[in-house]
Amino acid sequence: MSWFESFILGLVQGLTEFLPISSSAHLRLTAAFAGWHDPGAAFTAITQIGTETAVLIYFRKDIGRILSAWTRSLTDKAMRQDHDAQVGWLVIVGSIPIGVLGVTLKDQIEGPFRDLRLIATTLIVMGIVLGVADRLAARDEAGGRHRAVRERKTLRDLSVRDGLVYGMCQAMALIPGVSRSGATISGGLLMGYTRESAARYSFLLAIPAVLASGVYELKDATEGHVSWGPTIFATVVAFGVGYAVIAWFMKFITTKSFMPFVIYRIVLGLALYVLVGTDVLSPHAGESGD
């Protein structure tokens, strides 16, 4: 991998990691359109450490408060009723599905799941799901002639059941094109949470899974399967761009809907179908040996 490739891929990672459009799909598509080799699941996992570092810094007050309460709850039974302590426990519980499936489906994630036809399908299907979830949220917030405004849930209402549903939604993002934030935000909206609460918990829930995945994949770098220099450079680029995107996105969703992302996903998925169907792109374009 050249330094230019690592810069572009780091830029793509930072731009798309927190938006509900799938960073893994965009890294895969960038390589395919540019005629580069697929950067692979290991590269994706390691560069995500950069974007998750941005999350740690941006949400540092929330994270510090949750960690403090959770740590105290280990020895103080009364603290287990504290909201922040409960969020800490639910983040751990919600991280189990993606951890188990990530290890179990490792070969599929690095192989068949990266087929461009599957990516096109997941882009469209999850785009539709996000659109429906966003529409339901908008309807609750706006009310109507025969419908009262319905108050949506916040993280104060987070339960064990909801935490597990969030975790299962996050696990779906192991398939490129689904989008970690897209799946968890959609799940949150369908469960009745506000856009801001769904997005905030999506980012918090991703921290253990992404950092664990990145550390796990570091062994590929030490075994020579990943170029150290370009990968570290891409990770730094992803961090800087990712931080800016988080700040923008959290402001955007307080007043805007997710429909621009829904339309983008569907259009991109359809375009990808056309390109693969007309043999402009091979479904395995950019893969090693292609």
Side-chain angles (χ1 to χ4, degrees), residues 16-195:
T16 60
E17 171 68 14
F18 304 113
L19 304 181
I21 56 177
S22 179
S23 60
S24 58
H26 280 75
L27 288 173
R28 177 77 180 86
L29 293 175
T30 299
F33 283 120
W36 302 335
H37 286 307
D38 181 354
F43 176 87
T44 300
I46 294 172
T47 54
Q48 282 177 334
I49 293 178
T51 47
E52 283 313 301
T53 301
V55 172
L56 291 173
I57 295 176
Y58 187 86
F59 292 107
R60 60 189 180 279
K61 292 182 180 179
D62 296 46
I63 294 169
R65 192 177 63 249
I66 291 169
L67 279 176
S68 175
W70 177 80
T71 301
R72 283 181 286 160
S73 74
L74 294 175
T75 55
D76 185 348
K77 290 184 178 180
M79 279 300 299
R80 294 170 191 173
Q81 302 303 314
D82 182 84
H83 167 69
D84 289 324
Q86 291 176 345
V87 170
W89 283 110
L90 289 175
V91 165
I92 293 173
V93 172
S95 300
I96 294 174
I98 196 170
V100 173
L101 292 176
V103 174
T104 304
L105 301 175
K106 186 176 187 299
D107 291 340
Q108 287 74 23
I109 295 169
E110 296 179 348
F113 284 2
R114 302 183 78 79
D115 187 302
L116 295 182
R117 292 165 296 192
L118 177 58
I119 290 176
T121 302
T122 53
L123 282 169
I124 295 170
V125 172
M126 286 306 300
I128 294 172
V129 171
L130 178 61
V132 171
D134 185 68
R135 188 63 183 167
L136 291 174
R139 187 180 67 179
D140 286 348
E141 293 167 358
R145 181 177 300 179
H146 305 292
R147 204 172 50 243
V149 173
R150 180 183 175 187
E151 185 176 352
R152 302 213 115 214
K153 294 190 286 188
T154 69
L155 292 188
R156 287 282 172 185
D157 303 303
L158 192 64
S159 64
V160 174
R161 182 191 71 86
D162 290 356
L164 287 172
V165 172
Y166 266 117
M168 292 305 298
C169 290
Q170 177 177 239
M172 293 170 59
L174 291 170
I175 304 173
V178 169
S179 170
R180 185 190 311 275
S181 63
T184 50
I185 288 173
S186 294
L189 293 177
L190 290 172
M191 287 189 290
Y193 287 85
T194 64
R195 292 188 181 94

